[in-house]
Structures are given as C-alpha cells and as structure tokens.
Amino acid sequence: MSSYYKLKSSNLMPKFGIGTWGMGEKEKIREKEIESIILSLQNGVRLIDTAEMYGNGETEKLIGEALTRFEYKREELYVISKVYPHNAGKDKIFNSLESSLKRLGLNYLDMYLLHWRGRVPLSETVECMEKAKKEGLIKDWGVSNFDIDDMKELEAVKDGDKCCANQVLYHLGSRGADFDLEPYMKEKNIALIAYCPLAKAGELGKNILKNKVLTDIAGKYNASPAQIALAFIMSFENKIPIPKSSNNKHAIENIKSQNIILKKEDIELINKEFPAPNKKMPLDIV
C-alpha cells in the first residue's frame, strides 16, 4: 500500500510510518500498545520509528515483542532507531546499537539517527555510522533535530554527505523547516521525517485539526482533518510523516490517509491557511 522514497543510498524508505514515542512506559496499557503496533503492521505499515531514549529502552522492547507476534519478511520492514548524543562516540555507540538491536530482536537497523546534537564531534559520529554500515549493523544513517547550520556543518565532515535523513518536528502549525532547511535537504536528497505530524492531536500551537479550511477540504474527500493534514505532508516528495496513535480507530484513519491524493487547489488552500514562513524561524523541538 505504501509508496516509497528513494534515499541517496538507493535504499527505499516507506513514505508513511508510525511513531512510538511514549509507548512502553506504562505496564497497564502495554498489551494495548503492542496490539496497536500489530494492527498497524496488519494494515500495511512497514516503517516503525523508535529510539533508545523512549521509555529508557522499554519502547524498543515493546516493538520487539510486537514483531515476535507478527509474521513478516525482514526486508519488507523498515525500522529506525536513534542514539543518545552522549552515546554517539566510538566508545559507546556500538554498545548502544547492539542493545537497541537486541531489544528489537533484529540483526540490523534500516536507519540509525543521531537523536540531537551533543558534544561528540560530528566527524567521530559519522565515522562510527559508516563503520556500522560496513559491518552490516545498519543500512543507512541520519540525524534528528538538525537545523540548516547543523546540516551544513555535517556536510563538511568526511562522509557527512552520506546522511540520508533528518527527523524534525513538522506539522501544519510548525513549518519553520520549509524556509531554508527543507529546500537544502531536497537539493541534497535527504529525507525529512516529520515527527508529531498532527501536532500531538492539535495540542501544539494552532489547533490545526479544528481549522475550518482543513475541515472543509476533509468533507470533499470524505476524510478527517487529520487525514488531510497527513496527506498534505505526503504530497511533498521527500517528507515522511510518522504519526503515533495507541487508539485503533485513529491508527487506521492515519494509515488510510495514504490513499488521499490532494488536488492542486486544495494544496494551495492549505498553503494559504498554514503558510510556510517567509523568514528564518528557529526549529521547533518537543
């Protein structure tokens, strides 16, 4: 069902995935969360995003358990995890990576991201990422929460141009990346993975899901405002939303947003209502 984005490495990344931030932290809803991941997999989702930080490793364990209950071909699954900045040096990164793989029950990651900038020199992290690639522990690597200056600094270090993705906060109410970061990434063929693409159900900034323009457009497509917001992000070639939902109804709704192809006039209306900034904005982070 999912279409794919061809990374600069020539590997394919699904254009839609699920986020797992906040999952695995409460024992009483653990089973429900496992079932929600399985439900997404059963409905064609093949990209799962996580991090060693989430639940202090418990989220990766949760995903690992869900995967043991779902029959899949490893080459069809796309798993992203992230390393803490303080673990991103040669003395710790391989232990972090092996621990993530063990919790997930996998022998390689499709994408490994530096979670945010830290004190470890970028050159050292990149060297480690390239080594992990050569050893078959990861297919590709990228970064998260990097703004334009960070990306340019990364590009300047040896093998920094091998970065395939940057995961940033991106939704209709937070389009700061569109001023200079996204055009730069597009030029360099770097995927933009959009976390919190529904602004945490509209909690962040503008309550986008109750917006009249979005509601009116949703009516035309017999869809929900959330589906239109996701379809808008997917209308960009290099943007991949990873909404998170433990609510089965919402999860299925999110997945079905992949079937919506917005008309040009609707994209223009959304752009007018939620314009990209015309000046540099700080990159939002949650």
Side-chain angles (χ1 to χ4, degrees):
M1 179 209 300
S2 182
S3 59
Y4 291 84
Y5 177 70
K6 190 174 185 179
L7 299 166
K8 62 165 70 170
S9 62
S10 291
N11 291 326
L12 300 176
M13 177 189 280
K15 277 270 289 172
F16 176 92
I18 55 166
T20 59
W21 186 17
M23 287 186 168
E25 296 178 11
K26 294 175 184 166
E27 190 59 41
K28 63 180 180 182
I29 58 168
R30 183 181 176 82
E31 188 58 34
K32 185 187 169 201
E33 289 174 334
I34 289 171
E35 285 169 6
S36 76
I37 293 169
I38 293 169
L39 181 77
S40 291
L41 290 166
Q42 287 170 336
N43 282 275
V45 172
R46 289 297 176 266
L47 188 158
I48 302 175
D49 176 85
T50 191
E52 68 173 346
M53 184 192 88
Y54 299 170
N56 201 22
E58 287 302 315
T59 309
E60 290 176 327
K61 283 185 193 171
L62 186 89
I63 294 164
E65 194 169 330
L67 291 177
T68 62
R69 301 194 209 169
F70 180 77
E71 205 171 303
Y72 65 95
K73 291 178 181 172
R74 179 62 187 94
E75 65 273 15
E76 291 176 359
L77 189 67
Y78 198 101
V79 180
I80 301 171
S81 195
K82 308 177 200 76
V83 60
Y84 268 123
H86 59 263
N87 288 338
K90 55 191 173 191
D91 55 335
K92 293 180 179 173
I93 195 168
F94 289 96
N95 283 340
S96 270
L97 179 51
E98 292 285 5
S99 297
S100 285
L101 289 171
K102 189 177 178 183
R103 288 190 288 263
L104 289 160
L106 301 173
N107 54 15
Y108 70 87
L109 289 175
D110 297 275
M111 179 73 74
Y112 200 32
L113 305 178
L114 170 62
H115 211 149
W116 64 88
R117 281 292 301 262
R119 292 180 183 173
V120 176
L122 288 177
S123 56
E124 186 179 330
T125 299
V126 171
E127 191 183 332
C128 293
M129 291 290 196
E130 284 297 306
K131 187 181 176 194
K133 231 162 70 175
K134 287 189 182 84
E135 292 180 7
L137 297 170
I138 64 174
K139 288 286 183 77
D140 289 305
W141 63 269
V143 293
S144 182
N145 299 304
F146 269 43
D147 209 339
I148 184 80
D149 291 341
D150 302 309
M151 294 303 291
K152 287 180 176 175
E153 194 181 328
L154 175 65
E155 182 91 352
V157 308
K158 184 178 183 288
D159 290 327
D161 61 345
K162 304 277 173 53
C163 171
C164 284
N166 182 15
Q167 184 174 131
V168 296
L169 178 74
Y170 185 88
H171 56 79
L172 284 176
S174 179
R175 296 186 62 188
D178 284 335
F179 179 70
D180 54 3
L181 179 61
E182 192 272 342
Y184 176 85
M185 288 168 58
K186 190 175 182 182
E187 181 197 332
K188 304 288 182 183
N189 190 12
I190 297 169
L192 187 154
I193 304 169
Y195 76 82
C196 295
L198 295 174
K200 294 186 92 172
E203 287 174 27
L204 306 175
K206 304 171 188 176
N207 196 345
I208 59 173
L209 302 185
K210 290 185 179 172
N211 177 272
K212 188 177 185 310
V213 169
L214 220 56
T215 306
D216 288 349
I217 293 170
K220 283 169 61 178
Y221 290 86
N222 194 23
S224 69
Q227 287 177 314
I228 299 302
L230 292 172
F232 175 79
I233 293 173
M234 285 183 281
S235 72
F236 293 85
E237 187 194 355
N238 66 330
K239 290 178 184 170
I240 293 121
I242 48 165
K244 175 227 163 183
S245 180
S246 298
N247 176 306
N248 289 352
K249 180 177 173 285
H250 290 160
I252 295 294
E253 196 177 273
N254 292 343
I255 292 163
K256 287 182 176 176
S257 67
Q258 295 174 86
N259 301 327
I260 300 168
I261 310 295
L262 294 173
K263 291 187 171 73
K264 190 181 173 187
E265 60 264 30
D266 295 318
I267 290 172
E268 284 170 1
L269 281 170
I270 294 168
N271 273 320
K272 193 175 174 186
E273 184 70 8
F274 299 98
N278 56 12
K279 62 180 182 181
K280 177 66 185 162
M281 311 280 286
L283 197 62
D284 285 338
I285 294 172
V286 174

